Amino acid sequence: MNPNRLLAVLGLTGFASNIAIRIVDPIVPVLAREFNVTVAVAALLASAYTLPYALGQPILGPLGDAKGKARVMSFALLVLALGLAGSMFAWDIASMAAFRAISGLAAGATIPLGIALIGDRFPLEERQVALSRYLLAIIVGQLSGAPLAGIMADTIGWRPVFGIAAFFALIAGIAVGVMIKPQSGAVRSSFNLAAIKANYRLVLSRPLAKYCYGAVFAEGVLIYGFLPYVADLLEQRGSGGVREAGFVVAGIGVGGLLFNLVLPSLLRRTSRPTVMALGGMVILAGMTGVATGATWQAEMAAFTVVGLGFYMLHTGIQVEVTEFAPEARGSAIALHAFCLFLGMAIGPVVYGQAIPLLGAPLSLVLGGIGVLAAALLLAAKVQRPR
């Protein structure tokens, strides 16, 4: 398949999947009022999506290696469409959590397998640029989903947002099933408990594994764990509500767009480990800006800086992970996604405890310091000869 066409189809899957994950963050206060629960409880809807996403990875990655990544991805996108359609009709917080859990489990077979497909079909020297192009579509989904949810919730209600997301998931599932064909001579691994354990044992035997997966987990907890609290923070500061929160959360996506513009220049001038270390520093600067922002525009600008730093660090990690075990690449990427989304699931709980105790500003700065420490440690390990 033509590489540009492959990236276009995979881009549609990333767009659809990332709309699905980000649409709840800016409307947490609206859902809290709709279902008569506290903001802290409604914020756990983020965990209801990300925890099944994480827990499904140990099976979904090997399943893609064994049955074909595109085939598994296509089926998962159709299930994601059903879960999102069900979310439109949620009648209480429990039913919404159930539909979000179904959606999260299905979405777990989209972006991680897309990254693994890129690892399969692009040589190492072209891979980070190809991944950045794929991430561009994911970023556009983030840029679209959060503001769309905030604007619609503030005007016609939150339920139609899930219908729109379901439509994109359906189209993406059909496109993958029709257009991405198996490679000739592709080698499939067995799908049984012994093979799954062997694949993960191989991946975890790599010297960098614990550092890469630890850094990804830190990103999930310390960066994305705060997003469900953005709207509530804006309301408390009197600087906006759900509409403005959508734009603030989208700032991470704007940072991703900036990253795509500067990546080729960065890689010409410095090494990937250096870019990763710089990413940690940029993240700390951005999270400090979020902590001190007085207006929603300032908060969005700060999240743009966070997004730039996140993608500087995150894509470097992805490139390393795709090389851990080429014969079990789906499993390696699945473990990467497991750590990221497990962090995203735990993050709202961590910030839910930290914010009342320390306040949002100090919690954010400490989170930024934690990500920087993980980035510097990983960059130092990558620099060493292996």
Side-chain angles (χ1 to χ4, degrees):
M1 186 177 184
N2 178 280
N4 290 331
R5 184 175 297 178
L6 173 64
L7 284 176
V9 176
L10 290 178
L12 179 59
T13 71
F15 174 82
S17 182
N18 223 37
I19 279 185
I21 189 174
R22 294 274 72 93
I23 54 179
V24 164
D25 291 335
I27 63 173
V28 163
V30 173
L31 295 175
R33 291 188 285 267
E34 173 82 11
F35 299 131
N36 195 29
V37 296
T38 65
V39 168
V41 170
L44 294 179
L45 288 172
S47 300
Y49 185 99
T50 53
L51 186 59
Y53 192 120
L55 296 179
Q57 293 306 309
I59 299 299
L60 294 172
L63 184 63
D65 286 332
K67 303 299 181 183
K69 299 176 183 66
R71 181 185 301 174
V72 174
M73 186 188 300
S74 178
F75 179 77
L77 283 161
L78 299 179
V79 176
L80 173 60
L82 290 174
L84 291 167
S87 300
M88 289 178 63
F89 304 103
W91 54 93
D92 58 17
I93 193 70
S95 61
M96 175 60 86
F99 286 123
R100 291 298 285 166
I102 293 169
S103 300
L105 181 61
T110 54
I111 292 175
L113 290 182
I115 294 170
L117 265 171
I118 290 172
D120 288 345
R121 304 196 185 196
F122 286 84
L124 180 60
E125 62 272 12
E126 299 175 11
R127 200 171 297 159
Q128 187 161 11
V129 174
L131 283 170
S132 73
R133 299 294 179 259
Y134 179 46
L135 287 171
L136 180 60
I138 297 171
I139 291 163
V140 172
Q142 180 173 321
L143 283 170
S144 305
L148 178 68
I151 292 170
M152 292 184 71
D154 202 36
T155 52
I156 63 173
W158 58 269
R159 294 182 187 272
V161 178
F162 290 93
I164 293 171
F167 171 77
F168 282 114
L170 176 63
I171 296 300
I174 294 171
V176 171
V178 171
M179 299 184 68
I180 301 182
K181 304 300 181 184
Q183 288 180 297
S184 59
V187 178
R188 304 286 185 214
S189 61
S190 300
F191 186 69
N192 54 61
L193 184 59
I196 292 171
K197 289 171 64 177
N199 282 352
Y200 283 118
R201 192 178 300 116
L202 175 64
V203 170
L204 291 171
S205 70
R206 300 310 188 225
L208 283 176
K210 61 184 177 182
Y211 300 104
C212 285
Y213 294 136
V216 166
F217 178 76
E219 289 176 333
V221 173
L222 300 175
I223 298 175
Y224 283 94
F226 183 74
L227 297 188
Y229 298 96
V230 168
D232 189 53
L233 178 65
L234 292 176
E235 289 183 352
Q236 288 183 20
R237 289 178 172 176
S239 55
V242 294
R243 181 194 298 261
E244 290 77 14
F247 289 102
V248 171
V249 171
I252 292 181
V254 177
L257 293 178
L258 292 176
F259 167 76
N260 269 272
L261 293 175
V262 303
L263 175 62
S265 177
L266 280 173
L267 292 178
R268 283 194 300 269
R269 287 171 169 78
T270 189
S271 65
R272 185 166 65 249
T274 301
V275 172
M276 294 161 68
L278 289 172
M281 299 175 192
V282 173
I283 289 167
L284 174 58
M287 293 183 74
T288 302
V290 174
T292 57
T295 65
W296 73 264
Q297 293 92 339
E299 296 277 324
M300 182 177 178
F303 266 113
T304 298
V305 176
V306 173
L308 173 61
F310 169 77
Y311 286 104
M312 291 171 68
L313 173 60
H314 194 70
T315 59
I317 298 172
Q318 287 174 330
V319 171
E320 293 294 331
V321 170
T322 60
E323 281 300 293
F324 281 173
E327 64 273 38
R329 190 167 275 130
S331 300
I333 298 298
L335 193 54
H336 169 277
F338 171 80
C339 293
L340 176 63
F341 279 82
L342 183 63
M344 288 184 182
I346 294 172
V349 179
V350 172
Y351 277 107
Q353 297 297 313
I355 290 171
L357 192 64
L358 304 174
L362 180 57
S363 299
L364 281 161
V365 172
L366 291 175
I369 292 171
V371 178
L372 174 59
L376 293 177
L377 177 60
L378 175 58
K381 296 297 180 180
V382 174
Q383 292 277 17
R384 294 179 182 175
R386 281 173 272 167

